[in-house]
Structures are given as structure tokens and as C-alpha cells.
């Protein structure tokens, strides 16, 4: 049976698989086709740029280590040109610094080789559901007096520029993509940190506290803590004062 995401209306754009290893490229494309996705194969960074810019692909599976450059540069150029196509990186580079770099510059997920094709398909489904669940947002997200620019990676509140770390930026972005919705710690770990993140769940509370303090410099607290559940962005109630850094 075909994948339910692939059967969504207007899904004819399909997937673009970019890898310079012919065997891996063909195996990934064949497996995705078997699961009901349309998959186009390319082997170089120039091909990837042309195809992603000129065709309405819904997702790109992109090798980081390409012959002429790397996948990070491909995504950097796509984002610079306004192309918001979701990207899942494939790579043998498994350091935390590489993963953070790939996700920060605009990647949606990061898988290290070797990997299972079933896991790749599952991650593709997750990214497609997340990115296609509603109307596409512009580069600037807004909530109350907070603005987050996904292209320049700048955050402002009441006109004041706020210096955020890459993790704080991703955390705020995910909260702003889901205003009013209570997000569990597990959801935040899945979307803000890596799938294979090995740290404790307390890291979520720690970074929420960091982010809350920085935002509170220029206005009331907008990060609501739902005890024993998670966090959400909400407008402060009349007369409500900034909350403590409770977890």
C-alpha cells in the first residue's frame, strides 16, 4: 500500500534523492518508490540546486559529502534564494557539531550512515506531515510582540534584538509554529534536539528557562508551563506578571 503522505492532494512533486554513491542513491530511491513515494535521483550539488529550484519537490534527501561541495552549502544557497523545501541530511559525519550546523542552517532532520531504510521512510513521513499540515509560513514568524526571522536567524521583541543560541532559536521557532498548543517534553526533544540525542529530559526545562529569561527582558512572560505536561506560548492575561523560571 502507498504511503498516506504521498497520497495527499498535490503531492506530485515527490522527493529528490541526492547522493554521489550510485548504489546507495538507487537503493534509497527504489525503497521510497516501493513505499509509494515518487523519487527522483541526482548525484551532484549543481544538479540538486537546479532540480530543487526548478521543480516543486516536497522534500530533499541530501548527502552532506558531495563531490564538488557539501550538502550544507546546497541548503545554504537554497535558503538564500528563498527555497523552503524541507531537507533531510544523510552523512557519515556524526559529530554533534555537524548535526547542530546542519539543523541550524535550515535542515529539517539529520541521519548518519549507516541507516535503516525503514527509519528514513519514517522520518520522511514525520517531516512531510509537519511541513505540510497547514499553509506554508513566511520567513518571519510572529507572536505578540516577538518576531523570528527564519532566514536571518534574528529574533526581536518590541523592536529589541535578542541574542539566542542555536538551540534557543530552534526551541522558540517550534513554540511559535504551535502557538497556544501545549507541547510535551518528548515532542520538544524530538523537534528541537536530534532523534538520537542522549541527554536527559531535564535539558528542556533548562533551555526553556534560558529562553524565558531572555524574552522577559523586554516584556511579560509568554511561555506557559503546564505542570507535568510541557510548555506553550500564550498571551499573558490582564494583570499577569512575569513568572519565575519554573519547570
Amino acid at each position: 500500500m502507498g504511503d498516506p503522505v504521498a497520497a495527499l492532494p498535490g503531492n506530485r512533486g515527490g522527493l529528490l534523492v541526492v547522493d554521489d554513491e550510485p548504489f546507495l542513491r538507487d537503493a534509497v530511491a527504489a525503497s521510497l518508490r516501493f513505499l509509494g513515494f515518487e523519487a527522483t535521483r541526482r548525484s551532484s550539488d549543481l544538479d540538486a540546486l537546479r532540480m530543487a529550484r526548478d521543480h516543486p519537490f516536497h522534500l530533499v534527501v541530501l548527502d552532506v559529502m558531495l563531490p564538488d561541495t557539501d550538502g550544507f552549502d546546497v541548503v545554504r544557497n537554497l535558503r538564500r534564494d528563498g527555497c523552503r523545501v524541507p531537507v533531510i541530511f544523510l552523512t557519515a559525519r556524526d559529530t554533534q557539531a555537524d548535526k547542530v550546523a546542519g539543523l541550524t542552517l535550515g535542515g529539517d532532520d539529520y541521519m548518519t550512515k549507516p541507516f535503516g531504510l525503514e527509519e528514513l521512510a519514517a522520518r520522511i513521513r514525520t517531516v512531510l506531515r509537519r511541513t505540510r499540515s497547514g499553509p506554508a509560513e513566511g520567513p518571519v514568524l510572529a507572536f505578540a510582540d516577538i518576531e523570528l526571522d527564519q532566514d536571518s536567524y534574528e529574533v526581536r521583541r518590541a523592536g529589541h534584538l535578542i541574542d539566542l543560541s542555536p538551540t534557543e532559536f530552534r526551541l522558540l521557532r517550534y513554540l511559535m509554529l504551535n502557538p497556544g498548543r501545549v507541547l510535551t517534553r518528548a515532542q520538544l526533544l524530538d523537534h528541537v534536539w536530534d532523534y538520537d540525542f542522549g541527554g536527559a529530559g531535564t535539558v528542556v526545562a533548562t533551555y526553556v528557562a534560558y529562553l524565558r529569561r531572555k524574552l522577559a527582558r523586554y516584556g511579560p512572560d509568554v511561555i506557559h508551563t503546564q505542570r507535568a505536561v510541557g510548555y506553550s506560548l500564550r498571551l499573558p492575561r490582564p494583570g499577569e506578571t512575569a513568572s519565575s523560571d519554573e519547570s
Side-chain angles (χ1 to χ4, degrees), residues 77-227:
N77 289 328
L78 288 173
R79 299 301 184 244
R80 182 196 61 200
D81 294 342
C83 180
R84 308 300 304 173
V85 62
V87 174
I88 295 179
F89 287 115
L90 300 180
T91 182
R93 290 157 53 175
D94 60 356
T95 68
Q96 191 74 8
D98 283 325
K99 294 178 183 179
V100 170
L103 295 172
T104 300
L105 64 85
D108 295 86
D109 203 349
Y110 192 107
M111 290 189 68
T112 55
K113 299 176 182 179
F115 58 88
L117 292 171
E118 289 185 359
E119 182 184 1
L120 173 61
R123 295 198 187 195
I124 288 172
R125 294 187 191 103
T126 298
V127 171
L128 286 176
R129 289 192 180 100
R130 186 169 72 239
T131 57
R132 304 193 56 185
S133 59
E137 76 276 1
V140 178
L141 304 178
F143 181 85
D145 58 351
I146 302 169
E147 291 188 348
L148 180 149
D149 191 317
Q150 301 178 90
D151 288 341
S152 67
Y153 289 88
E154 290 184 345
V155 172
R156 296 180 184 273
R157 182 165 198 189
H160 299 278
L161 184 64
I162 300 176
D163 183 26
L164 298 182
S165 71
T167 300
E168 292 164 351
F169 182 91
R170 293 196 303 273
L171 175 59
L172 178 59
R173 178 181 181 274
Y174 190 58
L175 289 168
M176 292 181 73
L177 287 171
N178 297 274
R181 175 185 173 194
V182 177
L183 301 169
T184 67
R185 290 175 175 81
Q187 287 174 311
L188 291 169
L189 281 172
D190 279 346
H191 289 85
V192 178
W193 285 265
D194 297 332
Y195 280 83
D196 56 354
F197 175 71
T202 54
V203 72
V204 175
T206 299
Y207 274 90
V208 166
Y210 294 158
L211 180 60
R212 177 177 272 143
R213 277 197 294 268
K214 291 183 178 182
L215 293 176
R217 293 172 187 167
Y218 304 108
D221 187 18
V222 293
I223 301 179
H224 174 66
T225 301
Q226 187 72 31
R227 290 186 182 277

Side-chain angles (χ1 to χ4, degrees), residues 36-54:
F37 293 99
E38 294 181 24
T40 300
R41 296 163 296 170
R42 286 296 181 272
S43 61
S44 76
D45 58 307
L46 293 178
D47 284 342
L49 280 171
R50 291 194 200 98
M51 293 294 291
R53 285 169 177 159
D54 299 340

